[in-house]
């Protein structure tokens, strides 16, 4: 399989955004809302069965963290999966909206 991180794409509108990974006819997606100029709220992560256990969900959240650092944003992870990843990755605390 191609490196997951290299295959993640982002789509942004004025109020929303998403990160997607597409392979083998399936799509994994993490969506977020833009709350002001410097805050995104991760509201949903969907990883189809075809990708389970391959780290796709974590890769989507990791990409959001990397982009938040670059852009000077904070993240509020309301999605249970994303929130769990933030609890597991203390090193992401710099972008966590507390």
């Amino acid at each position: 399989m191609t490196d997951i991180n290299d295959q993640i794409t982002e789509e942004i509108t004025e109020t929303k955004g998403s990160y997607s990974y597409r392979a083998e006819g399936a799509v994994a997606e993490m969506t977020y809302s833009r709350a002001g100029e410097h805050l995104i709220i991760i509201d949903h992560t969907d990883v189809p069965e075809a990708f389970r256990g391959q780290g796709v969900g974590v890769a989507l959240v990791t990409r959001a963290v990397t982009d938040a650092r670059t852009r000077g944003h904070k993240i509020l992870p309301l999605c249970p999966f994303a929130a769990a990843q933030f609890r597991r990755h203390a090193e992401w605390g710099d972008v966590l909206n507390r």
Side-chain angles (χ1 to χ4, degrees):
M1 180 178 357
T2 307
D3 184 29
I4 294 167
N5 298 318
D6 293 339
Q7 300 300 313
I8 293 174
T9 59
E10 182 182 24
E11 292 184 28
I12 304 171
T13 69
E14 191 172 319
T15 60
K16 300 202 176 285
S18 66
Y19 289 95
S20 301
Y21 172 75
R22 292 171 170 79
E24 303 167 17
V27 179
E29 182 177 57
M30 184 192 75
T31 60
Y32 62 87
S33 297
R34 296 171 54 131
E37 197 173 323
H38 300 288
L39 177 65
I40 68 167
I41 300 169
I42 298 175
D43 49 35
H44 184 70
T45 304
D46 180 43
V47 177
E49 193 64 38
F51 297 145
R52 296 274 162 94
Q54 298 177 33
V56 173
V58 175
L60 293 170
V61 180
T62 300
R63 171 68 183 275
V65 168
T66 300
D67 288 350
R69 285 181 176 141
T70 301
R71 298 170 183 165
H73 293 171
K74 294 288 186 179
I75 297 174
L76 178 59
L78 294 184
C79 162
F81 177 80
Q85 293 309 309
F86 270 87
R87 286 191 297 276
R88 289 184 183 118
H89 294 273
E91 70 274 17
W92 294 350
D94 60 314
V95 297
L96 180 62
N97 186 63
R98 299 181 194 270

Coordinates of all heavy atoms in Angstrom, one line a residue:
M1 N 0.8 -1.2 0.0 CA 0.0 0.0 0.0 C 0.9 1.2 0.0 O 1.9 1.3 0.6 CB -0.9 0.0 1.2 CG -1.8 1.2 1.2 SD -3.0 1.6 2.5 CE -3.0 0.3 3.6
T2 N 0.4 2.2 -0.7 CA 1.1 3.5 -0.7 C 1.1 4.1 0.7 O 0.2 3.9 1.4 CB 0.4 4.5 -1.7 OG1 0.3 3.8 -3.0 CG2 1.2 5.8 -1.9
D3 N 2.1 5.0 1.0 CA 2.1 5.6 2.3 C 0.8 6.4 2.5 O 0.5 7.3 1.7 CB 3.3 6.5 2.4 CG 3.4 7.2 3.8 OD1 3.0 6.6 4.8 OD2 4.0 8.3 3.8
I4 N 0.1 6.1 3.6 CA -1.2 6.8 3.8 C -1.0 8.3 3.9 O -1.8 9.0 3.3 CB -1.8 6.3 5.2 CG1 -2.1 4.8 5.0 CG2 -3.0 7.1 5.6 CD1 -2.4 4.1 6.3
N5 N 0.0 8.8 4.6 CA 0.2 10.2 4.8 C 0.3 11.0 3.5 O -0.2 12.1 3.3 CB 1.4 10.5 5.7 CG 1.2 9.9 7.1 OD1 0.1 10.0 7.6 ND2 2.2 9.3 7.5
D6 N 0.9 10.4 2.5 CA 1.1 11.0 1.2 C -0.2 11.1 0.4 O -0.3 11.8 -0.6 CB 2.2 10.3 0.4 CG 3.5 10.4 1.0 OD1 3.8 11.3 1.8 OD2 4.4 9.5 0.7
Q7 N -1.2 10.3 0.8 CA -2.4 10.2 0.0 C -3.6 11.0 0.7 O -4.7 10.9 0.1 CB -2.8 8.7 -0.2 CG -1.8 7.9 -0.9 CD -1.5 8.5 -2.3 OE1 -2.5 8.7 -3.0 NE2 -0.3 8.6 -2.7
I8 N -3.4 11.6 1.8 CA -4.4 12.4 2.4 C -4.6 13.7 1.8 O -3.6 14.4 1.5 CB -4.1 12.5 3.9 CG1 -4.2 11.2 4.6 CG2 -5.1 13.5 4.6 CD1 -3.7 11.2 6.1
T9 N -5.9 14.0 1.4 CA -6.2 15.3 0.8 C -7.0 16.1 1.8 O -7.8 15.6 2.6 CB -6.9 15.2 -0.5 OG1 -8.1 14.4 -0.3 CG2 -6.0 14.4 -1.5
E10 N -7.0 17.5 1.6 CA -7.8 18.3 2.4 C -8.7 19.2 1.5 O -8.3 19.7 0.5 CB -7.0 19.3 3.3 CG -7.8 20.2 4.2 CD -6.9 21.1 5.0 OE1 -5.8 21.4 4.6 OE2 -7.4 21.6 6.1
E11 N -9.9 19.4 1.9 CA -10.9 20.3 1.3 C -11.3 21.3 2.3 O -11.7 20.9 3.5 CB -12.1 19.5 0.7 CG -11.7 18.6 -0.5 CD -12.9 18.0 -1.1 OE1 -14.0 18.6 -1.0 OE2 -12.7 16.9 -1.6
I12 N -11.3 22.6 2.0 CA -11.7 23.6 2.9 C -12.7 24.5 2.3 O -12.6 24.9 1.1 CB -10.5 24.5 3.3 CG1 -9.3 23.6 3.9 CG2 -10.9 25.6 4.3 CD1 -8.0 24.4 4.1
T13 N -13.8 24.9 3.0 CA -14.7 25.9 2.6 C -14.6 27.0 3.7 O -13.8 26.9 4.6 CB -16.2 25.4 2.6 OG1 -16.6 25.1 3.9 CG2 -16.3 24.2 1.7
E14 N -15.5 28.0 3.6 CA -15.4 29.1 4.5 C -15.7 28.6 6.0 O -15.1 29.2 6.9 CB -16.4 30.2 4.1 CG -16.3 31.4 4.9 CD -17.1 32.5 4.3 OE1 -17.3 32.7 3.1 OE2 -17.7 33.3 5.2
T15 N -16.6 27.6 6.2 CA -16.9 27.2 7.5 C -16.6 25.8 7.9 O -16.7 25.4 9.0 CB -18.5 27.4 7.7 OG1 -19.2 26.6 6.7 CG2 -18.8 28.9 7.6
K16 N -16.2 25.0 6.9 CA -16.0 23.6 7.2 C -14.8 23.1 6.4 O -14.2 23.8 5.6 CB -17.2 22.7 6.7 CG -18.5 23.1 7.4 CD -19.5 22.0 7.4 CE -20.7 22.3 8.2 NZ -20.5 22.2 9.6
G17 N -14.4 21.9 6.8 CA -13.3 21.2 6.1 C -13.3 19.7 6.3 O -14.0 19.2 7.1
S18 N -12.4 19.1 5.5 CA -12.3 17.6 5.7 C -11.0 17.1 5.2 O -10.3 17.8 4.4 CB -13.4 16.9 4.9 OG -13.3 17.1 3.5
Y19 N -10.5 16.0 5.8 CA -9.4 15.3 5.3 C -9.8 14.0 4.9 O -10.7 13.3 5.5 CB -8.3 15.1 6.5 CG -7.7 16.4 6.9 CD1 -8.1 17.2 7.9 CD2 -6.5 16.8 6.2 CE1 -7.5 18.3 8.3 CE2 -5.9 18.0 6.6 CZ -6.4 18.8 7.6 OH -5.8 19.9 8.0
S20 N -9.4 13.5 3.7 CA -9.8 12.2 3.1 C -8.6 11.4 2.7 O -7.6 11.9 2.3 CB -10.7 12.5 1.9 OG -11.8 13.3 2.3
Y21 N -8.9 10.1 2.8 CA -7.9 9.1 2.2 C -8.7 8.2 1.4 O -9.7 7.6 1.8 CB -7.2 8.3 3.4 CG -6.4 7.2 2.9 CD1 -5.2 7.4 2.3 CD2 -6.9 5.9 3.0 CE1 -4.4 6.3 1.8 CE2 -6.1 4.8 2.6 CZ -4.9 5.0 2.0 OH -4.1 4.0 1.5
R22 N -8.3 8.0 0.1 CA -9.0 7.2 -0.8 C -8.1 6.1 -1.3 O -7.0 6.4 -1.8 CB -9.5 8.0 -2.0 CG -10.6 9.0 -1.6 CD -10.9 9.9 -2.8 NE -12.1 10.7 -2.6 CZ -12.2 11.8 -1.8 NH1 -11.1 12.2 -1.2 NH2 -13.3 12.4 -1.6
A23 N -8.6 4.9 -1.3 CA -7.8 3.7 -1.9 C -8.7 2.6 -2.1 O -9.7 2.4 -1.3 CB -6.6 3.4 -1.0
E24 N -8.5 1.8 -3.1 CA -9.2 0.5 -3.3 C -10.7 0.7 -3.3 O -11.4 -0.1 -2.8 CB -8.8 -0.5 -2.2 CG -7.3 -0.7 -2.2 CD -6.8 -1.5 -1.0 OE1 -7.7 -2.1 -0.3 OE2 -5.6 -1.5 -0.7
G25 N -11.1 1.9 -3.8 CA -12.6 2.1 -4.0 C -13.3 2.6 -2.7 O -14.5 2.7 -2.6
A26 N -12.5 2.8 -1.6 CA -13.1 3.2 -0.3 C -12.6 4.6 0.1 O -11.5 5.0 -0.4 CB -12.7 2.2 0.8
V27 N -13.3 5.2 0.9 CA -12.9 6.6 1.4 C -13.0 6.7 2.9 O -14.1 6.3 3.5 CB -13.8 7.7 0.8 CG1 -13.4 9.1 1.3 CG2 -13.8 7.6 -0.7
A28 N -11.9 7.1 3.5 CA -12.0 7.4 5.0 C -12.0 8.9 5.1 O -11.3 9.6 4.3 CB -10.7 6.8 5.7
E29 N -12.7 9.5 6.0 CA -12.8 10.9 6.1 C -12.9 11.4 7.5 O -13.5 10.8 8.4 CB -14.1 11.4 5.3 CG -14.2 12.9 5.3 CD -15.4 13.3 4.4 OE1 -16.5 12.8 4.7 OE2 -15.2 14.0 3.5
M30 N -12.3 12.5 7.8 CA -12.4 13.2 9.1 C -12.9 14.6 8.7 O -12.3 15.3 7.9 CB -11.1 13.3 9.8 CG -11.2 13.9 11.2 SD -9.6 14.3 11.9 CE -9.2 15.8 10.9
T31 N -14.0 15.1 9.3 CA -14.6 16.4 9.0 C -14.4 17.3 10.2 O -14.3 16.9 11.4 CB -16.1 16.3 8.7 OG1 -16.8 15.7 9.8 CG2 -16.3 15.4 7.4
Y32 N -14.4 18.6 9.9 CA -14.2 19.6 11.0 C -15.0 20.9 10.6 O -15.3 21.1 9.4 CB -12.8 19.9 11.3 CG -12.0 20.5 10.1 CD1 -12.0 21.9 9.9 CD2 -11.2 19.8 9.3 CE1 -11.3 22.5 8.9 CE2 -10.5 20.3 8.2 CZ -10.5 21.7 8.0 OH -9.8 22.2 7.0
S33 N -15.3 21.6 11.6 CA -15.9 23.0 11.4 C -14.9 24.0 11.8 O -14.1 23.8 12.7 CB -17.1 23.1 12.3 OG -18.1 22.2 12.0
R34 N -14.9 25.1 11.1 CA -14.0 26.2 11.4 C -14.8 27.2 12.3 O -15.8 27.7 12.0 CB -13.6 26.9 10.1 CG -12.8 26.0 9.2 CD -12.6 26.6 7.9 NE -12.0 27.9 8.0 CZ -11.0 28.3 7.3 NH1 -10.4 27.6 6.4 NH2 -10.5 29.6 7.5
A35 N -14.2 27.4 13.5 CA -14.9 28.2 14.5 C -14.0 29.4 14.8 O -13.1 29.4 15.6 CB -15.1 27.4 15.8
G36 N -14.1 30.4 13.9 CA -13.2 31.6 14.0 C -12.0 31.4 13.2 O -11.8 30.4 12.5
E37 N -11.1 32.3 13.4 CA -9.9 32.3 12.5 C -8.8 31.3 12.9 O -8.1 30.8 12.1 CB -9.3 33.7 12.6 CG -8.3 34.0 11.5 CD -7.9 35.5 11.6 OE1 -8.7 36.4 11.9 OE2 -6.7 35.7 11.3
H38 N -8.8 30.9 14.2 CA -7.7 30.0 14.7 C -8.2 28.8 15.4 O -7.4 28.2 16.2 CB -6.8 30.9 15.6 CG -6.2 32.0 14.9 ND1 -5.2 31.9 14.0 CD2 -6.5 33.4 15.1 CE1 -4.9 33.1 13.6 NE2 -5.6 34.0 14.2
L39 N -9.4 28.3 15.2 CA -9.9 27.1 15.8 C -10.7 26.2 14.9 O -11.5 26.7 14.1 CB -10.9 27.5 17.0 CG -11.5 26.3 17.8 CD1 -10.5 25.5 18.5 CD2 -12.6 26.9 18.7
I40 N -10.3 24.9 14.9 CA -11.1 24.0 14.2 C -11.7 23.0 15.2 O -11.1 22.7 16.2 CB -10.4 23.3 13.0 CG1 -9.3 22.3 13.6 CG2 -9.8 24.2 12.0 CD1 -8.7 21.4 12.5
I41 N -12.9 22.5 14.9 CA -13.6 21.5 15.7 C -13.7 20.2 14.9 O -14.5 20.2 14.0 CB -14.9 22.1 16.2 CG1 -14.8 23.4 16.9 CG2 -15.7 21.0 17.0 CD1 -16.1 24.1 17.2
I42 N -13.0 19.2 15.3 CA -13.1 17.9 14.7 C -14.4 17.3 15.1 O -14.6 17.0 16.3 CB -11.9 17.0 14.9 CG1 -10.6 17.6 14.4 CG2 -12.1 15.6 14.3 CD1 -9.4 16.8 14.7
D43 N -15.3 17.1 14.2 CA -16.7 16.6 14.6 C -17.0 15.2 14.2 O -17.9 14.6 14.7 CB -17.7 17.6 14.1 CG -17.6 17.9 12.6 OD1 -17.2 17.1 11.8 OD2 -17.9 19.1 12.3
H44 N -16.2 14.6 13.3 CA -16.5 13.2 12.8 C -15.3 12.6 12.1 O -14.6 13.2 11.4 CB -17.7 13.3 11.8 CG -18.2 12.0 11.4 ND1 -18.9 11.1 12.2 CD2 -18.1 11.3 10.2 CE1 -19.2 10.0 11.6 NE2 -18.7 10.1 10.3
T45 N -15.2 11.3 12.4 CA -14.2 10.5 11.7 C -14.9 9.2 11.2 O -15.5 8.6 12.1 CB -13.0 10.2 12.6 OG1 -12.4 11.4 13.1 CG2 -11.9 9.4 11.8
D46 N -14.7 8.9 10.0 CA -15.3 7.7 9.4 C -14.3 6.9 8.7 O -13.7 7.4 7.7 CB -16.5 8.0 8.5 CG -17.1 6.8 7.9 OD1 -17.3 5.8 8.7 OD2 -17.4 6.8 6.7
V47 N -14.0 5.7 9.2 CA -13.0 4.8 8.5 C -13.7 3.5 8.2 O -14.2 2.8 9.0 CB -11.8 4.5 9.5 CG1 -10.8 3.6 8.8 CG2 -11.1 5.8 9.9
P48 N -13.9 3.2 6.9 CA -14.6 2.0 6.5 C -13.8 0.8 6.9 O -12.6 0.8 7.1 CB -14.6 2.1 4.9 CG -13.8 3.2 4.5 CD -13.4 4.0 5.7
E49 N -14.5 -0.3 7.0 CA -14.0 -1.6 7.4 C -12.7 -2.0 6.6 O -11.8 -2.5 7.1 CB -15.1 -2.7 7.3 CG -14.7 -4.0 7.9 CD -14.6 -3.9 9.5 OE1 -15.4 -3.1 10.1 OE2 -13.7 -4.5 10.0
A50 N -12.7 -1.6 5.3 CA -11.5 -2.0 4.5 C -10.2 -1.4 5.0 O -9.2 -1.9 4.7 CB -11.8 -1.5 3.0
F51 N -10.3 -0.3 5.8 CA -9.1 0.3 6.3 C -8.8 0.1 7.7 O -7.8 0.6 8.3 CB -9.2 1.9 6.1 CG -9.3 2.3 4.6 CD1 -10.0 3.4 4.3 CD2 -8.6 1.6 3.6 CE1 -10.1 3.8 3.0 CE2 -8.7 2.1 2.3 CZ -9.4 3.2 2.0
R52 N -9.7 -0.6 8.4 CA -9.6 -0.8 9.9 C -8.2 -1.5 10.2 O -7.8 -2.4 9.5 CB -10.7 -1.6 10.4 CG -12.1 -0.9 10.3 CD -12.3 0.0 11.4 NE -13.4 1.0 11.1 CZ -14.6 0.9 11.4 NH1 -15.1 -0.2 12.0 NH2 -15.5 1.8 11.1
G53 N -7.6 -1.0 11.2 CA -6.3 -1.6 11.7 C -5.1 -1.2 10.9 O -4.0 -1.7 11.1
Q54 N -5.3 -0.3 10.0 CA -4.1 0.2 9.1 C -3.6 1.5 9.5 O -2.7 2.1 8.9 CB -4.6 0.2 7.7 CG -5.0 -1.2 7.2 CD -5.4 -1.1 5.7 OE1 -4.9 -0.4 4.9 NE2 -6.4 -2.0 5.4
G55 N -4.2 2.1 10.6 CA -3.7 3.5 11.0 C -4.3 4.6 10.2 O -3.7 5.7 10.3
V56 N -5.3 4.4 9.4 CA -5.8 5.5 8.6 C -6.5 6.6 9.4 O -6.2 7.7 9.2 CB -6.8 4.9 7.5 CG1 -7.5 6.0 6.8 CG2 -6.1 4.0 6.6
G57 N -7.3 6.2 10.4 CA -7.9 7.2 11.3 C -6.9 8.1 12.0 O -7.0 9.3 12.1
V58 N -5.9 7.4 12.6 CA -4.8 8.2 13.3 C -4.1 9.1 12.3 O -3.7 10.2 12.6 CB -3.8 7.2 13.9 CG1 -2.6 8.0 14.6 CG2 -4.5 6.4 15.0
A59 N -3.9 8.6 11.1 CA -3.2 9.4 10.1 C -4.0 10.7 9.7 O -3.4 11.8 9.5 CB -2.9 8.6 8.8
L60 N -5.3 10.6 9.7 CA -6.1 11.7 9.4 C -6.0 12.8 10.5 O -5.9 13.9 10.3 CB -7.6 11.3 9.2 CG -7.9 10.4 8.0 CD1 -9.3 9.9 8.1 CD2 -7.7 11.2 6.7
V61 N -6.1 12.3 11.8 CA -6.0 13.2 12.9 C -4.6 13.8 13.0 O -4.4 15.0 13.2 CB -6.4 12.5 14.2 CG1 -6.2 13.5 15.4 CG2 -7.8 12.0 14.2
T62 N -3.6 13.0 12.7 CA -2.2 13.5 12.7 C -2.0 14.6 11.7 O -1.3 15.6 11.9 CB -1.2 12.3 12.4 OG1 -1.4 11.4 13.5 CG2 0.2 12.8 12.4
R63 N -2.6 14.4 10.5 CA -2.5 15.5 9.5 C -3.1 16.8 9.9 O -2.6 17.9 9.7 CB -3.1 15.0 8.2 CG -3.3 16.0 7.1 CD -2.0 16.5 6.5 NE -2.2 17.5 5.5 CZ -2.6 17.3 4.2 NH1 -2.6 16.1 3.8 NH2 -2.8 18.3 3.5
A64 N -4.3 16.7 10.6 CA -4.9 17.9 11.1 C -4.0 18.6 12.2 O -3.9 19.8 12.2 CB -6.3 17.5 11.8
V65 N -3.4 17.8 13.0 CA -2.4 18.3 14.0 C -1.3 19.0 13.3 O -0.9 20.2 13.7 CB -1.9 17.2 15.0 CG1 -0.8 17.7 15.8 CG2 -3.1 16.7 15.8
T66 N -0.7 18.4 12.3 CA 0.4 19.0 11.6 C 0.0 20.3 10.9 O 0.8 21.3 11.1 CB 1.0 18.0 10.5 OG1 1.4 16.8 11.2 CG2 2.1 18.6 9.7
D67 N -1.1 20.3 10.3 CA -1.6 21.5 9.6 C -1.9 22.6 10.7 O -1.7 23.8 10.4 CB -2.8 21.2 8.8 CG -2.4 20.5 7.5 OD1 -1.2 20.3 7.2 OD2 -3.3 20.0 6.8
A68 N -2.5 22.2 11.8 CA -2.8 23.2 12.8 C -1.5 23.9 13.3 O -1.5 25.1 13.5 CB -3.5 22.6 14.0
R69 N -0.5 23.1 13.5 CA 0.8 23.7 13.9 C 1.3 24.7 12.9 O 1.7 25.8 13.2 CB 1.8 22.6 14.2 CG 1.6 21.9 15.4 CD 2.7 20.8 15.6 NE 2.5 20.2 16.9 CZ 2.7 18.9 17.1 NH1 3.0 18.1 16.1 NH2 2.5 18.4 18.3
T70 N 1.3 24.3 11.7 CA 1.7 25.2 10.6 C 0.9 26.5 10.5 O 1.5 27.5 10.2 CB 1.7 24.4 9.2 OG1 2.5 23.3 9.3 CG2 2.2 25.3 8.1
R71 N -0.4 26.4 10.7 CA -1.3 27.5 10.5 C -1.5 28.3 11.7 O -2.2 29.3 11.7 CB -2.6 27.0 9.9 CG -2.5 26.3 8.6 CD -3.7 25.6 8.2 NE -3.5 24.9 6.9 CZ -4.3 23.9 6.5 NH1 -5.4 23.6 7.1 NH2 -4.0 23.3 5.3
G72 N -1.0 27.9 12.9 CA -1.3 28.6 14.1 C -2.7 28.4 14.7 O -3.2 29.3 15.3
H73 N -3.2 27.2 14.4 CA -4.6 26.9 14.8 C -4.6 26.0 16.1 O -3.6 25.4 16.4 CB -5.4 26.2 13.8 CG -5.6 27.0 12.5 ND1 -6.2 26.4 11.4 CD2 -5.5 28.3 12.3 CE1 -6.3 27.3 10.5 NE2 -5.9 28.5 11.0
K74 N -5.7 26.0 16.8 CA -6.0 25.1 17.9 C -7.1 24.1 17.4 O -7.9 24.4 16.5 CB -6.5 25.8 19.1 CG -5.4 26.7 19.7 CD -4.4 25.9 20.4 CE -3.4 26.9 21.1 NZ -2.3 26.1 21.8
I75 N -7.2 23.0 18.0 CA -8.1 21.9 17.7 C -9.0 21.6 18.9 O -8.4 21.3 20.0 CB -7.5 20.7 17.2 CG1 -6.7 21.0 15.9 CG2 -8.5 19.6 16.9 CD1 -5.8 19.8 15.4
L76 N -10.3 21.6 18.7 CA -11.2 21.0 19.7 C -11.7 19.7 19.2 O -12.5 19.7 18.2 CB -12.3 22.0 20.0 CG -13.4 21.6 20.9 CD1 -12.8 21.3 22.3 CD2 -14.5 22.7 21.0
P77 N -11.3 18.6 19.7 CA -11.7 17.3 19.2 C -13.0 16.8 19.8 O -13.0 16.1 20.9 CB -10.5 16.4 19.6 CG -10.0 17.0 20.8 CD -10.2 18.4 20.7
L78 N -14.2 17.1 19.2 CA -15.4 16.6 19.7 C -15.7 15.2 19.3 O -16.5 14.5 20.0 CB -16.6 17.6 19.3 CG -16.5 19.0 19.9 CD1 -17.8 19.8 19.5 CD2 -16.4 18.9 21.4
C79 N -15.2 14.8 18.2 CA -15.4 13.4 17.7 C -14.7 12.5 18.7 O -13.6 12.7 19.1 CB -14.7 13.3 16.3 SG -14.3 11.6 15.8
P80 N -15.4 11.5 19.2 CA -14.9 10.5 20.1 C -13.5 9.9 19.7 O -12.6 9.8 20.5 CB -15.9 9.5 20.3 CG -17.2 10.2 19.9 CD -16.8 11.1 18.8
F81 N -13.4 9.5 18.5 CA -12.1 9.0 18.0 C -11.0 10.0 18.1 O -9.9 9.7 18.6 CB -12.3 8.5 16.5 CG -11.0 7.9 16.0 CD1 -10.6 6.6 16.3 CD2 -10.2 8.7 15.2 CE1 -9.3 6.1 15.9 CE2 -8.9 8.2 14.7 CZ -8.5 6.9 15.1
A82 N -11.2 11.2 17.6 CA -10.2 12.2 17.6 C -9.8 12.5 19.1 O -8.7 12.7 19.4 CB -10.6 13.5 16.9
A83 N -10.8 12.6 20.0 CA -10.6 12.9 21.4 C -9.7 11.9 22.0 O -8.8 12.1 22.8 CB -11.9 13.1 22.1
A84 N -10.0 10.6 21.7 CA -9.2 9.5 22.2 C -7.8 9.6 21.7 O -6.8 9.3 22.5 CB -9.8 8.1 21.8
Q85 N -7.6 10.0 20.5 CA -6.2 10.1 19.9 C -5.5 11.2 20.7 O -4.3 11.1 21.0 CB -6.2 10.4 18.4 CG -6.7 9.2 17.6 CD -6.0 7.9 18.0 OE1 -4.8 7.8 18.0 NE2 -6.8 6.9 18.3
F86 N -6.1 12.3 21.0 CA -5.5 13.4 21.7 C -5.1 13.0 23.1 O -4.1 13.4 23.6 CB -6.4 14.7 21.8 CG -6.1 15.6 20.6 CD1 -6.8 15.5 19.4 CD2 -5.2 16.7 20.7 CE1 -6.6 16.3 18.4 CE2 -5.0 17.5 19.7 CZ -5.6 17.3 18.5
R87 N -5.9 12.1 23.7 CA -5.6 11.6 25.1 C -4.3 10.7 25.0 O -3.5 10.6 25.9 CB -6.7 10.8 25.7 CG -7.8 11.7 26.2 CD -8.9 11.0 27.0 NE -9.6 10.0 26.3 CZ -10.7 10.2 25.5 NH1 -11.2 11.4 25.4 NH2 -11.3 9.1 24.9
R88 N -4.2 10.0 23.9 CA -3.0 9.0 23.7 C -1.8 9.8 23.3 O -0.7 9.2 23.4 CB -3.4 8.0 22.6 CG -4.4 7.0 23.0 CD -4.6 6.0 22.0 NE -5.7 5.1 22.4 CZ -6.8 4.9 21.8 NH1 -7.1 5.5 20.7 NH2 -7.7 4.1 22.2
H89 N -1.9 11.0 22.7 CA -0.7 11.7 22.2 C -0.5 13.0 22.9 O -0.9 14.1 22.4 CB -0.9 11.9 20.7 CG -0.9 10.7 19.8 ND1 0.2 10.1 19.4 CD2 -2.0 9.9 19.4 CE1 -0.1 9.0 18.7 NE2 -1.4 8.9 18.7
A90 N 0.1 12.9 24.1 CA 0.3 14.1 24.9 C 1.2 15.2 24.1 O 1.0 16.4 24.3 CB 1.1 13.7 26.1
E91 N 1.9 14.7 23.1 CA 2.8 15.6 22.3 C 1.9 16.5 21.4 O 2.4 17.5 20.8 CB 3.8 14.9 21.5 CG 3.3 14.0 20.4 CD 2.8 12.6 20.7 OE1 2.6 12.3 21.9 OE2 2.6 11.8 19.8
W92 N 0.6 16.3 21.3 CA -0.2 17.1 20.5 C -0.8 18.3 21.4 O -1.6 19.1 20.9 CB -1.4 16.3 19.9 CG -1.0 15.3 18.9 CD1 0.3 15.2 18.3 CD2 -1.8 14.3 18.3 NE1 0.3 14.2 17.4 CE2 -1.0 13.6 17.4 CE3 -3.1 14.0 18.5 CZ2 -1.5 12.6 16.6 CZ3 -3.6 12.9 17.7 CH2 -2.8 12.2 16.8
G93 N -0.5 18.3 22.6 CA -1.1 19.3 23.6 C -0.9 20.7 23.1 O -1.7 21.6 23.5
D94 N 0.1 21.0 22.3 CA 0.3 22.4 21.9 C -0.8 22.9 21.0 O -1.0 24.1 20.9 CB 1.7 22.6 21.2 CG 1.8 21.7 20.0 OD1 1.5 20.5 20.0 OD2 2.3 22.2 18.9
V95 N -1.5 22.0 20.3 CA -2.6 22.5 19.5 C -4.0 22.2 20.0 O -5.0 22.5 19.4 CB -2.5 21.9 18.0 CG1 -1.2 22.4 17.3 CG2 -2.6 20.4 18.0
L96 N -4.1 21.6 21.2 CA -5.3 21.2 21.8 C -6.0 22.5 22.4 O -5.3 23.2 23.2 CB -5.1 20.1 22.9 CG -6.4 19.7 23.7 CD1 -7.4 19.0 22.7 CD2 -6.0 18.7 24.8
N97 N -7.2 22.7 22.1 CA -7.9 23.8 22.7 C -8.5 23.4 24.0 O -9.3 22.5 24.1 CB -9.1 24.3 21.8 CG -9.7 25.5 22.2 OD1 -9.1 26.6 22.3 ND2 -11.0 25.4 22.6
R98 N -8.0 24.0 25.1 CA -8.3 23.5 26.4 C -9.4 24.4 27.0 O -9.5 25.5 26.9 CB -7.1 23.6 27.4 CG -6.1 22.6 26.9 CD -4.9 22.6 27.8 NE -3.7 22.0 27.2 CZ -3.5 20.7 27.3 NH1 -4.2 19.9 27.9 NH2 -2.4 20.2 26.7

